[in-house]
Amino acid sequence: MTRADASEPPDDEEPADRGSAGDADGDGGRVELDVPDMDCASCANKVEAGISGVDGVDDIETRPASGRVAVTYDDDSATASDVADGVEAAGYDVADTSVSTVTFDVPDMDCASCASKVEAALDGQPGVVSTSTRPTAGTVRVEHDDDTHPDALRDGIESAGYDVTGSDADGDESTTPADDAEDRSVWASARAKKTFLGAGFLALGLVAEFAFGGLATVGTVLDVAFSVADVAFLAATATAGQEILRGGYYSAKNRQLDIDFLMSAAIVAAITASVGFGEHYYFEAATLAVLFSFSELLEGYAMDRTRESLQELVELSPDEATRKRVDGGTETVPVEALAVGDVVVVKPGEKVPADGVVVDGDTAINQAPVTGESVPVDKTVGDEVYAGTINEAGYVEVEVEAEASDSTLSRIVSLVEDAEANRTDREQFVERFADYYTPAMVALAIGVAVVPPVAFGAPWTVWFVNGIVMLVLACPCAFVISTPVSVVSGVTAAARNGVLVKGGNHLEAMGNVDAVAVDKTGTLTKGELTVTDVVPLGDRTEADVLRCARGLETKSEHPIADAIVAAADANGAVGATQATADDFQSVTGKGVTGALHGTDHYAGKPAWFDDLGFELEHAHVVDPGGAATAAGSEGAPADAAQADASGVPAEIRDVCERDGCLNLAEDTIPRLQREGKTVILVGTEDEVEGLVAVADEVRPDARRAVGALQSFGLEVVMLTGDNEGTAAAVAEQVGVDDYRAGLLPEDKVDAVRELDETYDGGVAMVGDGVNDAPALATATVGVAMGAAGTDTAIETADVALMSDDVGKLPYLYDLSHHANDVIRQNIFASLGVKAALAVGVAVPFVNVSLALAVLVGDAGMTLGVTGNALRLGRIRPDD
């Protein structure tokens, strides 16, 4: 049935022979074509015009820098070949190549310097389209054409001096860096053993030098005498410095001015000055080799801690599953072997191995690993479950609906790992700054070593060492990793709590917003109508009213009818005497009518009952035996001459005032409508039997969430397509001061744009990820509710709340805001410490030693920024 005043939720690839194609959602196709001659904006415009002439093309993305074009099209109207023909019609050839992607695990690539060397090595490889290095994850993702074999790319990475432990190419068994970290401790590695041995030689040299005066000369090489201390220092340099010099060789080979090259240059310079010019810098060379190698171990340890946070997500999914066989038995198989349609057995205490639907049994599932919900959720036949969640109670059988690589948890892990690739504005600034910082510091180091002795006659020995110290300070490692480790820590912490942030740029933006626009239906409210009030009249009970309403509404398909039927079933109003209406009729815009037990009944809007002749100005309910009866019923007085100004007979009003009767028209109905509820009257031709109120219930945590956001200083604005009355009622319930009602999807876009122009920090839009897609895309940050199991929301939103918990919004902002603070702290601290040490080197009366520069300026700050970033994991949704 149709009710005009009802408060209800508003309706708010084919393979190509040229290029790479893949399926899009629904009936769409997507193809990427190589157009090498498209190398400028003018070319791109012509290509786009040519493709636009092809029927069915939905979206065109031209990339002149890489000579590629990506096209999304309706595969019922066009093919990839049609798109290629459109390119050629514009006068450009399409290359007969396609692009593939391979990801390599490179666990020893754990800093920006390492990543630069790997990128430099791959840039020289033919067929490489793009390279994306992720030091915090220890992975390298390479786009390449089909003429390039992954083994050639592997060789390219290893030519930079880094071992590849696995890849996803050709079915390789890929071991993630965090997996590898389980098998080897940084302190048990070959480098650590060499460092410890070097430290022993250094200690021996110090004892010989300072306790015994260096002892006697033990040999002479090229007329240079070596004491026991000298030999010990050289041994320390040779053992601890092996990896440094190896890294320096690869840096020089790839023309990278990085920390390995600088430290190698400093060590070689110290040894050369000692052997060639008679200066004794063996101690400095040994100290640098041992301390820097130890610093690198600390940096590796810090990075392993960051990677462990990623590994916690990976380990949520089980490795094996119990699959049912056709004969009824079971077998244990790897999770990767599960196919769509398989049925798996999940016993109490076990993890669900794949996304699917319960086909047998019922239980309670702990969904915290995916949605962040703290309370287990009851599941029965027909309910969805997600890979990595934990079966807390009963035995269930689950039909697999997604392969392991395509599960909700797998997509979360993949997106978290990719988050490092979406660089924040601060990270991009840091990278640009580092490009100038290192060369400037190297020039300064040379000046520190040369100018004072040449210009002022200062001792060469002192200022040569100071120059080496400046070379140590020229490394921006802690500065460069200050942002990515914070991003990875923040994004991973959010994912563990059921909030999927799609990149560091979105994390940064969310922490800067000044306003939050929130959709009403499905966000602040549950998005489904429920019965909130039942008012029986006369001597009837709530069950009587619901039983009558259910009998009428069973045959209706309206959402209000569904709510009433569900409430009657839950109330126990259905019994042996329950009847379904005969001669059922739906009266458009008014309600429904039908015969129950031979008596005509009505259920509908108050206005309809007014049209039927009921005087709702004074319908009443009294205890059995009371004097008053409902106006318009058989017992109502017929003499209306004594009625007061309202039209209500004086006798009835006197009885009402004496007995405390209920006034529907003047009190109950208006009150319920002011609360945003839709009122349905139920009755016969002779009397009103009761009323039922339905509404879209406000989420329990909505008011708390809005209050928390406001306490952060954010402006919260509710956007809804619902009517003014309902919007006002919900806004009052949740504590929103500013709301916009009666909005179409395009109106919401305009509202978001207006807010974005009003607030400097931008606006976050929170909605269901589908109906509110235009507004989500327009906002500074789009946040989708209830994304678990929803591919569209996960793929399109900037941030996805995996559960329908609006209470996660304050946590999201708090985490993002803290992440921005941590990034700023890391950047300023790492730069400040480097600057202070550099100034100390240049000031004669301040002694900044080589040990202090390495342990504080390099290792200390690396540990400091990493530890500071890991603090983000302590922020909890309940804080």
Side-chain angles (χ1 to χ4, degrees):
M1 69 184 176
T2 302
R3 293 176 169 94
D5 66 343
S7 173
E8 58 186 84
D11 292 333
D12 290 80
E13 139 187 91
E14 177 177 324
D17 54 353
R18 295 170 292 186
S20 61
D23 291 335
D25 292 335
D27 296 327
R30 178 178 172 83
V31 63
E32 291 195 11
L33 303 174
D34 294 313
V35 189
D37 293 333
M38 183 190 67
D39 54 11
C40 66
S42 176
C43 300
N45 289 336
K46 283 190 283 186
V47 168
E48 187 169 344
I51 298 175
S52 298
V54 178
D55 291 337
V57 169
D58 297 324
D59 183 66
I60 305 170
E61 181 183 352
T62 54
R63 305 165 189 163
S66 60
R68 296 185 62 76
V69 58
V71 181
T72 303
Y73 57 90
D74 181 355
D75 54 14
D76 288 335
S77 305
T79 66
S81 294
D82 293 335
V83 176
D85 291 341
V87 175
E88 293 176 344
Y92 293 87
D93 292 332
V94 177
D96 294 329
T97 58
S98 62
V99 172
S100 301
T101 302
V102 59
T103 300
F104 297 98
D105 299 321
V106 190
D108 292 332
M109 184 195 67
D110 55 11
C111 67
S113 174
C114 304
S116 296
K117 275 190 283 190
V118 171
E119 289 174 358
L122 288 172
D123 285 345
Q125 294 288 324
V128 172
V129 176
S130 68
T131 302
S132 176
T133 53
R134 298 169 172 80
T136 49
T139 61
V140 180
R141 181 168 296 177
V142 185
E143 284 189 346
H144 61 93
D145 61 36
D146 283 348
D147 295 331
T148 303
H149 196 278
D151 286 346
L153 303 176
R154 182 194 299 264
D155 294 341
I157 296 173
E158 293 179 342
S159 72
Y162 297 92
D163 292 333
V164 176
T165 61
S167 78
D168 57 7
D170 302 323
D172 283 355
E173 188 67 26
S174 177
T175 60
T176 67
D179 287 333
D180 189 59
E182 288 186 350
D183 300 331
R184 63 172 182 88
S185 167
V186 67
W187 303 113
S189 64
R191 181 167 193 169
K193 294 173 183 177
K194 293 176 183 177
T195 302
F196 295 144
L197 180 59
F201 284 125
L202 177 61
L204 177 62
L206 289 172
V207 171
E209 180 73 26
F210 297 104
F212 302 102
L215 298 179
T217 299
V218 295
T220 301
V221 178
L222 299 176
D223 296 329
V224 178
F226 293 92
S227 66
V228 171
D230 294 337
V231 172
F233 291 145
L234 283 170
T237 305
T239 52
Q242 282 184 23
E243 294 299 323
I244 300 173
L245 294 173
R246 178 176 178 272
Y249 161 76
Y250 284 110
S251 296
K253 178 182 176 182
N254 291 289
R255 288 175 285 189
Q256 295 292 304
L257 187 64
D258 58 14
I259 187 63
D260 287 331
F261 178 81
L262 296 177
M263 294 304 99
S264 298
I267 292 173
V268 171
I271 297 298
T272 301
S274 300
V275 175
F277 301 97
E279 302 290 346
H280 277 65
Y281 295 133
Y282 303 115
F283 167 70
E284 284 74 12
T287 302
L288 183 58
V290 171
L291 292 182
F292 181 70
S293 188
F294 184 68
S295 168
E296 291 290 276
L297 292 174
L298 286 174
E299 185 174 311
Y301 168 73
M303 195 57 66
D304 281 348
R305 290 187 62 192
T306 304
R307 290 174 181 173
E308 285 171 4
S309 65
L310 288 173
Q311 182 63 11
E312 289 178 8
L313 292 176
V314 176
E315 291 177 346
L316 291 174
S317 181
D319 297 325
E320 295 180 332
T322 303
R323 181 172 62 188
K324 291 193 70 174
R325 296 197 303 261
V326 177
D327 61 8
T330 61
E331 58 183 346
T332 301
V333 298
V335 169
E336 292 76 13
L338 294 177
V340 175
D342 285 347
V343 175
V344 295
V345 171
V346 188
K347 299 177 182 178
E350 294 182 345
K351 292 181 179 179
V352 178
D355 285 5
V357 174
V358 177
V359 294
D360 187 28
D362 55 78
T363 186
I365 297 288
N366 180 355
Q367 298 191 152
V370 172
T371 66
E373 295 168 281
S374 58
V375 179
V377 179
D378 291 335
K379 299 287 183 179
T380 187
V381 174
D383 291 336
E384 286 186 335
V385 293
Y386 310 116
T389 56
I390 304 167
N391 183 10
E392 297 279 358
Y395 169 97
V396 290
E397 295 181 3
V398 176
E399 182 177 339
V400 176
E401 289 197 328
E403 296 180 356
S405 60
D406 196 36
S407 69
T408 299
L409 182 60
S410 294
R411 292 199 300 274
I412 292 174
V413 171
S414 176
L415 289 168
V416 169
E417 290 176 342
D418 289 347
E420 188 182 354
N422 297 327
R423 290 175 168 82
T424 68
D425 291 341
R426 291 189 181 91
E427 190 171 0
Q428 294 177 46
F429 161 76
V430 165
E431 291 177 350
R432 291 193 300 269
F433 183 87
D435 290 339
Y436 295 98
Y437 172 84
T438 300
M441 288 295 290
V442 170
L444 184 59
I446 295 173
V448 166
V450 174
V451 172
V454 172
F456 306 106
W460 279 96
T461 302
V462 173
W463 290 99
F464 181 82
V465 173
N466 285 344
I468 293 177
V469 173
M470 292 298 291
L471 282 180
V472 172
L473 298 177
C475 171
C477 283
F479 175 59
V480 171
I481 71 169
S482 59
T483 299
V485 295
S486 303
V487 166
V488 170
S489 178
V491 170
T492 305
R496 287 200 301 267
N497 287 287
V499 179
L500 179 58
V501 183
K502 302 281 286 296
N505 53 335
H506 304 309
L507 185 72
E508 181 182 50
M510 186 66 204
N512 290 329
V513 299
D514 293 324
V516 179
V518 188
D519 176 53
K520 178 187 77 70
T521 306
T523 302
L524 293 176
T525 65
K526 293 181 178 179
E528 53 186 32
L529 295 177
T530 56
V531 171
T532 59
D533 302 85
V534 179
V535 180
L537 302 179
D539 58 355
R540 297 172 185 82
T541 65
E542 290 187 7
D544 293 334
V545 176
L546 284 174
R547 185 180 299 110
C548 179
R550 185 188 189 282
L552 292 168
E553 300 285 12
T554 298
K555 293 185 177 181
S556 174
E557 297 179 354
H558 196 278
I560 290 179
D562 295 338
I564 291 175
V565 170
D569 293 343
N571 181 274
V574 180
T577 60
Q578 176 63 44
T580 300
D582 297 323
D583 301 325
F584 173 83
Q585 266 191 312
S586 176
V587 183
T588 302
K590 296 182 178 181
V592 296
T593 180
L596 293 173
H597 300 294
T599 303
D600 289 338
H601 280 73
Y602 303 87
K605 297 189 301 184
W608 190 30
F609 274 69
D610 187 58
D611 293 342
L612 292 174
F614 288 90
E615 296 180 3
L616 298 180
E617 288 81 1
H618 241 62
H620 307 276
V621 58
V622 295
D623 293 333
T629 57
S633 66
E634 292 179 357
D639 184 5
Q642 303 298 320
D644 60 14
S646 66
V648 178
E651 297 88 341
I652 292 293
R653 181 170 293 282
D654 291 341
V655 174
C656 287
E657 293 175 353
R658 183 173 63 252
D659 295 345
C661 300
L662 186 65
N663 187 324
L664 293 181
E666 296 178 3
D667 178 23
T668 307
I669 294 175
R671 175 178 58 81
L672 292 172
Q673 289 176 336
R674 284 195 301 272
E675 294 173 0
K677 300 173 181 177
T678 298
V679 176
I680 304 298
L681 296 180
V682 180
T684 66
E685 293 179 338
D686 301 321
E687 62 177 334
V688 179
E689 298 179 340
L691 67 81
V692 179
V694 298
D696 183 5
E697 280 190 290
V698 171
R699 293 185 185 276
D701 289 336
R703 187 176 186 86
R704 181 183 64 82
V706 169
L709 291 173
Q710 292 170 335
S711 70
F712 289 132
L714 299 176
E715 180 70 20
V716 181
V717 181
M718 185 181 78
L719 307 181
T720 178
D722 222 326
N723 61 69
E724 178 73 19
T726 300
V730 173
E732 182 179 359
Q733 289 182 61
V734 300
V736 172
D737 298 324
D738 186 4
Y739 66 89
R740 320 283 171 86
L743 302 182
L744 297 173
E746 55 267 30
D747 298 326
K748 291 185 180 180
V749 171
D750 293 339
V752 169
R753 286 175 177 160
E754 178 188 335
L755 291 170
D756 190 39
E757 293 173 357
T758 303
Y759 296 96
D760 295 336
V763 57
M765 172 67 195
V766 187
D768 61 10
V770 179
N771 294 336
D772 299 309
L776 290 172
T778 303
T780 309
V781 181
V783 183
M785 288 279 293
T790 307
D791 294 347
T792 302
I794 290 180
E795 296 300 330
T796 60
D798 299 326
V799 179
L801 306 184
M802 303 308 292
S803 68
D804 281 328
D805 186 2
V806 71
K808 293 290 178 64
L809 284 175
Y811 164 73
L812 169 61
Y813 176 79
D814 192 29
L815 176 70
S816 301
H817 193 69
H818 273 83
N820 286 343
D821 288 342
V822 166
I823 291 172
R824 283 192 291 266
Q825 292 163 8
N826 284 350
I827 290 175
F828 292 138
S830 56
L831 274 182
V833 169
K834 292 275 189 180
L837 292 173
V839 171
V841 172
V843 177
F845 56 83
V846 178
N847 182 23
V848 177
S849 66
L850 190 60
L852 187 65
V854 173
L855 293 179
V856 176
D858 190 65
M861 286 313 304
T862 297
L863 281 176
V865 299
T866 303
N868 195 32
L870 292 175
R871 289 192 305 113
L872 294 173
R874 300 176 186 173
I875 301 175
R876 294 285 187 267
D878 298 331
D879 292 346

